[in-house]
Amino acid sequence: MKQLVLAFVVVAGSAFAQEIGTEITPTTPTSGVQPQNNPPPPPPPAEQPKSGYVYKPKGAKEESTAPGAAGFTGTKVSASSGDFGIRAGFGASGSAALPAGSTSGATVAAPSVGIAYFATDGFKLLVDLGFGMALVGSSALLALSATAGFDYLFRTPAEALRPFFHFAGSFYMAGSSNFAIGFGAQLGVGAEYFFSPSFSVNGRLLLSVPMSVNGQFVLGIFTVAPGVGATFYL
């Protein structure tokens, strides 16, 4: 009898243990825990920017390639903002339109040398000084000139041929023992061709208005005053 009761208790206990086991949910690894022998997959590749799009932080300054605006970032063919040059000119490109005196039919003008400075990509400041001398018998005929002005260049530093607008004012004196003293203005157009960002030649057609104040007022107007020049940029 005791053996029958003991067998019944063992069978009942085993059945109860199995029923309890079915109520416990088995523990599985969480999604954030990876097996040691199975490394995490690589992150997805970053999205590629669209063609032509350049990321700029918020508040970044926009760069411009327009003429007359500093900050040109393209392929530089001609001089641009900050460039400094040494220039030489002849005719109306350098001296006043009437910077000459005369003695016995002899005349002398004042070809000029000067400096050029690009304040922006399209605005160039100019300062020129001229000197000329001729010996006529026992007399020396001299011509001196000083000119200050500007060129406003069109197009961008990415182009070799750049048309420009020119304006300048000038002071001059010329003669022998009695010097003619005067001043004048130049206004016109031209073009500058850059063989490289360091060297260029230019041609101009100017309306020149020189005025002499030596004893009596003399006004001259030259509707076509051509001139040529060259500049070496440092």
Side-chain angles (χ1 to χ4, degrees), residues 3 13 33 39 74 83 91 116 142 146 149 154 156 159 173 187 192 198 205 210 225:
Q3 294 179 348
V33 178
D83 287 340
L142 301 176
F154 301 95
T156 72
E159 298 176 81
M173 58 187 298
L187 179 69
E192 187 167 6
S198 299
L205 286 177

Side-chain angles (χ1 to χ4, degrees), residues 79-182:
S80 61
S81 177
D83 287 340
F84 175 85
I86 300 174
R87 49 188 264 113
F90 304 92
S93 63
S95 56
L98 196 63
S102 63
T103 301
S104 300
T107 61
V108 60
S112 69
V113 294
I115 59 175
Y117 176 73
F118 273 87
T120 70
D121 288 344
F123 188 81
K124 179 170 60 173
L125 297 172
L126 308 171
V127 176
D128 298 295
L129 298 176
F131 172 79
M133 182 178 68
L135 297 177
V136 183
S138 59
S139 300
L141 183 61
L142 301 176
L144 305 172
S145 70
T147 304
F150 68 86
D151 287 344
Y152 183 84
L153 285 78
F154 301 95
R155 301 182 179 176
T156 72
E159 298 176 81
L161 181 62
R162 302 183 66 182
F164 61 78
F165 170 80
H166 172 82
F167 177 80
S170 57
F171 169 82
Y172 69 90
M173 58 187 298
S176 181
S177 58
N178 185 22
F179 284 92
I181 298 175

